[in-house]
């Protein structure tokens, strides 16, 4: 379940996920990709569509926790809890709680604090005429699942 079409976050999350999945588990088949535009209600509808279209579906990846929570509603309503694994991105407070409760299989962190700090540094550098910043600053991420969710602090 993807964010806004054409948006950097949507593009890079999809590209990285698909590339890594092909590298580590080429036998896993991606059945569909649909946008929910970062919206929980739309994500619920997309997940309902996936669950009725693909009878053997066993996992859904949502590009953020808000959409994952929408997908979780659809999974529960379909009686597929524990059958369809849900993964996400963000490790928000709500997402971490769902991981600890066993409702979301896993996520990865995305720190708004890190992004804010580095954005401020880029602005400072540009304002001072300092050398151009790298085109891409990689946000450090941590894999989160039930084993370590209690150690991760959700920032939002």
């Amino acid at each position: 379940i993807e964010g806004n079409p054409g948006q950097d976050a949507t593009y890079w999350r999809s590209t990285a996920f698909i590339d890594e999945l092909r590298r580590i588990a080429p036998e896993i088949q991606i059945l569909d990709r649909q946008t929910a535009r970062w919206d929980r209600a739309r994500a619920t509808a997309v997940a309902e569509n996936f669950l009725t279209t693909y009878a053997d579906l066993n996992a859904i990846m949502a590009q953020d926790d808000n959409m994952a929570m929408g997908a979780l509603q659809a999974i529960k309503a379909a009686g597929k809890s524990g059958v369809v694994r849900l993964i996400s991105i963000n490790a928000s407070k709500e997402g971490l709680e769902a991981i600890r409760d066993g409702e979301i299989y896993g996520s990865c962190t995305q720190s708004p604090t890190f992004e804010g700090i580095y954005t401020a540094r880029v602005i400072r550098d540009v304002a001072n005429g300092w050398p151009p910043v790298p085109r891409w600053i990689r946000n450090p991420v941590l894999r989160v699942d039930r084993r370590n969710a209690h150690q991760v602090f959700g920032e939002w």
Side-chain angles (χ1 to χ4, degrees):
I1 301 175
E2 298 181 327
N4 289 332
Q7 190 176 31
D8 275 1
T10 302
Y11 173 80
W12 287 111
R13 289 176 189 195
S14 293
T15 299
F17 177 77
I18 292 166
D19 289 351
E20 185 66 5
L21 195 59
R22 284 182 182 148
R23 187 183 73 77
I24 65 170
E27 71 282 2
I28 293 178
Q29 181 183 7
I30 297 172
L31 300 174
D32 205 341
R33 295 167 54 186
Q34 292 183 26
T35 183
R37 298 186 175 275
W38 309 113
D39 181 78
R40 186 177 299 215
R42 288 181 184 197
T44 301
V46 169
E48 288 169 348
N49 182 41
F50 288 167
L51 292 163
T52 56
T53 303
Y54 306 105
D56 294 335
L57 182 70
N58 58 18
I60 295 175
M61 187 278 231
Q63 288 188 342
D64 79 347
D65 285 350
N66 185 50
M67 293 189 300
M69 298 310 292
L72 180 59
Q73 287 179 298
I75 291 168
K76 287 179 176 180
K80 298 272 187 159
S81 296
V83 176
V84 177
R85 287 188 173 176
L86 181 58
I87 57 172
S88 184
I89 299 172
N90 289 138
S92 68
K93 290 177 184 177
E94 187 176 30
L96 288 169
E97 182 179 334
I99 292 169
R100 288 190 294 267
D101 291 345
E103 296 178 320
I104 292 179
Y105 181 74
S107 188
C108 66
T109 58
Q110 180 187 1
S111 170
T113 301
F114 174 88
E115 291 175 355
I117 289 169
Y118 275 84
T119 299
R121 289 179 181 175
V122 168
I123 291 168
R124 176 203 60 199
D125 294 353
V126 169
N128 286 312
W130 295 346
V133 296
R135 179 166 153 45
W136 184 267
I137 298 172
R138 186 171 292 276
N139 190 342
V141 296
L142 172 68
R143 178 183 168 166
V144 183
D145 57 29
R146 285 185 90 173
R147 293 173 292 171
N148 66 346
H150 64 282
Q151 300 170 333
V152 177
F153 174 73
E155 296 181 48
W156 55 279

